[in-house]
Structure formats: structure tokens, C-alpha cells
Amino acid sequence: MDIKNLTLIGTKKMLDDKELSARELWRALFDFAKKENKEIHGFLRFQEDESKWKGLPIAVKDNMLAVGMPTTCASKILENYQPSYQATVIDKLEKNGLGIFGKTNMDEFAMGSSTESSAFGITKNPHDLERVPGGSSGGSAAAVASGMALAALGSDTGGSIRQPASFCGVVGLKPTYGRVSRYGLVAMASSLDQIGTFTKDVKDAAYLLNIISGFDKYDSTSSKEHVPNYLELLDEDVKGLRIGVPKEYFIKGMDADAEKTVRNAIKKYESLGAEIVEISLPHTEYALAVYYILMPAEVSSNLARFDGIRYGYSIERDLENGNATLDDVYKISRAKGFGAEPRRRIMLGTFVLSHGYYDAYYLKAQKVRTKIIQDFNKAFEKVDVIATPTSPTPAFKIGEKISDPLTMYLSDIFTVSANLAGVPALSLPCGIVEREGKKLPVGLQLIGKHFDESTILRAAHSLEQAL
Amino acid sequence: MSIIDIKQIEHLAELARLKVSDEEKDKMAGELSAILGFVEKLDQADVVGVLPTSNAAGIFNAMRQDAVDQYNKQKELVKAAPASKDNLVKVKAVFE
């Protein structure tokens, strides 16, 4: 058994054919991952309860609630939090023959692009241990890339699946807003958050999307739109498919080698019979600014629930004297429980929503968001898929950007638009660049129409076979 | 250029119920000002007559029956709180 290269579909066949027992599989993967994790630190914890070693093992980002183990969001404020209920996606995985193998590291509350803001230590990129795996779902990406996991779930608010998938050389899919229930996902920015997948190939992405998609009465933003069989259309070719290349995504400051790799991938589509169309998404330049207003505003509201009263870290547990006031419990618990990035975003969000600033920031950003959506709608009248780089650079060095928040934010520049518009997007490994003797993966981003994951999966599958 | 000063940081910290140390106030004022400086490019966008978006996938008015769904883990929820009494969450006095 080639443990590092196991896929979901391939392993399922081995289990179904009784070539391998689930127990043997879990034991082998567990032993391998425990050892590998000492260096990579993609997992925060593993499934130690052997009675749960059933079916296909899958890793889950530590912001989705699974009963029986803590959910921490890589934050001190939830360090010992034991969920009393389970996320809908976890229920769906378990009902469909998958088991939770472990919980993966992430930027604290999914806030970051490098997994360096985790309160429980950084994760390293398996392709170069001196580099970050990307973020915020860096643990999930690194776990799949290193072979510690067959596949993983992550969440994507501004690129948190696609950017780490790109940095680690795996397939990362952010479905349409509303495609997958978020019940039991710890909310960061509710108008943008979406659960998605990390897999070793496109087929596994389609397989997992089949399982996790669909309406859920516990998530009022989940959609009743029909869920097709995503595996069915995968093998069709891309002849005649119209692929739009937006000029705004090939900008100054883009890594030259990475750009060349992405352009070559797009050229490859032409040789496969697709039609390449130059398009324009004129409001792209505003996307990051819109994102860094709307997202912190929603963060400041969502994180208000961590108040030191009901669950999570509280100074109430530390102080034996009764001197603290109610106000102290709120303020000190939150100050000690949250790390620097959540605190910064709470303050920024509070500012843009505060009296006298709401119209100038929040309302304005919501209006520009409408323009960004209109850009996509117009573009999709002419093309079926939009192809761009996933990230302006390959994986950067650990420590390179963590001290300057604004520089870190710029690494989301190509990914936030899809969240603002709610459209599905996927990152596919499309080549490598060499840096200091290390081979670093580059990702191609494919963006589709609302609820048209089928087309981006088909386009990705076609290129994957050709590369 | 919107510059956030220490006084505003203190006001925001109060609104957000977040204790911020003196040293951190200074740092935050600088970082927030830099981010707000960056987002000010939105002033160049023409949004006259444009409606704001809150749900990008066009899901409006998700309705359901106004029916009670029982949740049977009340004890577990209370147990998660740092302090409880008689199966109720206990908090500090609200009035001094």
C-alpha cells in the first residue's frame, strides 16, 4: 500500500474489494501520520478512539464541530471546548462511510493566510519546511499534500481553501455560497464563509462534493438548488468550452515564474479545444478593500458570542475571589482568549460599523460588492469558466509577512472576489517553480457560475489529465 | 486619510468589550489606520444608484414553519459555562 498516494475513490475500491480492512488502513495511516506530523504539524489532534476507526478516514479543519473531540478554532478561547452537537457536514460524512481521522491546524478563527496565527503552533509546507502552507486552512492542505490524510475539509472566507491548496499542490474547492450547509461551522464572516474540500485529485473533489452538498434546515442560507451527480460529467472534454482570462488578474507584482506557469496551463486548454477569451472584471481592484471592510464587520459581530459567560475561556475559572465585575469577565476573558489577529479584526469591524462611519465604510463596501457581482454576471454571458492565478506568489517563508498585517492581506488578492460574488472556485496544481533548490507548486484558479461546480470540475479534470 | 487615534481605540475597545493594554493601543492605532488608508480606494468607485448586497447567491427570505424544535442537551450546555448553580448559568451581578 502506497500510503502517501491514497485517494478516496481508489481506497474505497480497495475496501469494497476486501483487499484491505478499514482497521488496517486506519492503523497504517495513523502510524504514518503521527510520525510525519512531528515535522509538519498539520494536525492538532488525531482520532484516538479506535472504535471510530471505520470507513474512509478524512481530516477536518478544527472549526467544524465533531462530537467526541474538542473544537478549538486554533484559539485559546476555545482551547478545551467540547461541542454538544455536530456539524451537518460531519453527519453527512459519517452517513456516507467516512470517519473523522483528526482535526487540522488553522489560522486562529480562520483569520490569516499562512496558519502562523494559530495559538497552537505553526504548520510547515511539506514541499519546503521553511515555508508556510498558506492559510487559513493550512493544516488541511499540508495534511493532504504530505499524505497524512486522503482528503480534508476546510473553510474558505476569502481564499482559505484555494490559497493553501495552491501553496501545497493539492486540489482545493470552494463551492457556491449556499451549496454546503454551514451548520456547526464556527462562523467568521457569515456572508462569505463556505465549507469545501482538499483532495489529491479532481475526481475525489467531485466525490466529496456529492456527499456534503445540499439544503439543510438548520442553515437558512443553504440553497434548495438541485444537487447534480458531480462525478457523472467529469470525463467530458472541454472542446468548445469558453474560458475567460481577466486582464486584471495579471498584474504588476505577480511572481514572473508563477505567471508563466499559469499562462502555460491556460495555453494547454487551447490545445485541448477550449476557446480562450480575454475578458475584463473592472471592479477587481476594489475587491480586497471591500473584503477588508465587510469581513471584519461580520467578524466583530460573530465573535461577540465569546464572552466568558457561556463556554470557552473565562477568567471566571481563574479567579477564585469574587472581585471581578461582569464587565471584567467580558473584557479580560476576550483580551486573554483572543490572539492578535482576531482582536485587530474585532476592533476594525467595530469601527466600520460604529456610529458616523457605517455609511462611509460598510454600506459603501456592500454597494461596491454589487458592482463586483455584476462584473461576474456580465463576464459569464460570454464565457463558461474564468481562469486566473490562485495566488500572486508561490508559498512564502515562515515569518516573512506575519509582522505586517496589510502585506499579509494582499496574498488574498486573487481569491476574495469569488467569495464576494458567492461563485464557486477551485485551485488546481498546474506546475512548479524552483526556489532555492525546492520545488514549489503553483495553482490555477477556475471560477464558475453560481451552482455550476460541474463545469469547473470538468475543466479541472480535463487539464489534470493533460498535464 | 482616516487616522485612528488612541482615544478612538479606547472607545472601540469599550464598544467591543475588549481590554486593550496601553502598549497595544498605540500599535493598533497604527495598524488600523494603515488598513483604513488602504480601503479608502473605494472612494474612487462610482456607486450612485447601486443597491447594497448582503447575500451574494440571491437567497432571500428563507422561511420555515414557526415550530419548536426540541434540543435535549440542556445540561451539557450549562456544564460548558464557567459557573453554574441549580442547572442555570451563573453570572456576576449585573447591577452594582
Side-chain angles (χ1 to χ4, degrees), chain A residues 341-387:
Chain A
E341 189 59 28
R343 286 206 302 272
R344 188 178 297 125
R345 294 191 190 188
I346 288 169
M347 293 286 279
L348 187 59
T350 305
F351 173 76
V352 299
L353 291 175
S354 65
H355 183 71
Y357 297 99
Y358 178 87
D359 284 5
Y361 289 97
Y362 190 71
L363 192 64
K364 177 94 193 233
Q366 281 190 309
K367 288 178 179 176
V368 183
R369 182 175 189 180
T370 305
K371 301 289 274 186
I372 291 168
I373 295 170
Q374 289 170 352
D375 280 358
F376 277 102
N377 290 343
K378 255 185 229 160
F380 282 127
E381 285 170 13
K382 285 196 288 189
V383 299
D384 307 300
V385 175
I386 294 172

Side-chain angles (χ1 to χ4, degrees), chain A residues 83-123:
Chain A
S84 66
Y85 69 101
Q86 189 145 288
T88 297
V89 285
I90 305 290
D91 278 342
K92 287 191 170 201
L93 292 175
E94 289 182 346
K95 268 185 205 134
N96 285 279
L98 288 101
I100 310 308
F101 181 66
K103 301 295 285 292
T104 56
N105 198 14
M106 55 190 277
D107 280 297
E108 184 177 357
F109 280 101
M111 298 177 190
S113 310
S114 67
T115 314
E116 289 167 291
S117 78
S118 166
F120 307 124
I122 59 172
T123 295

Side-chain angles (χ1 to χ4, degrees), chain A residues 177 191 298 362 366 369, chain B residues 52-56 60:
Chain A
Y177 184 79
S191 84
E298 296 179 21
Y362 190 71
Q366 281 190 309
R369 182 175 189 180
Chain B
T53 293
S54 54
N55 183 306
F60 295 106

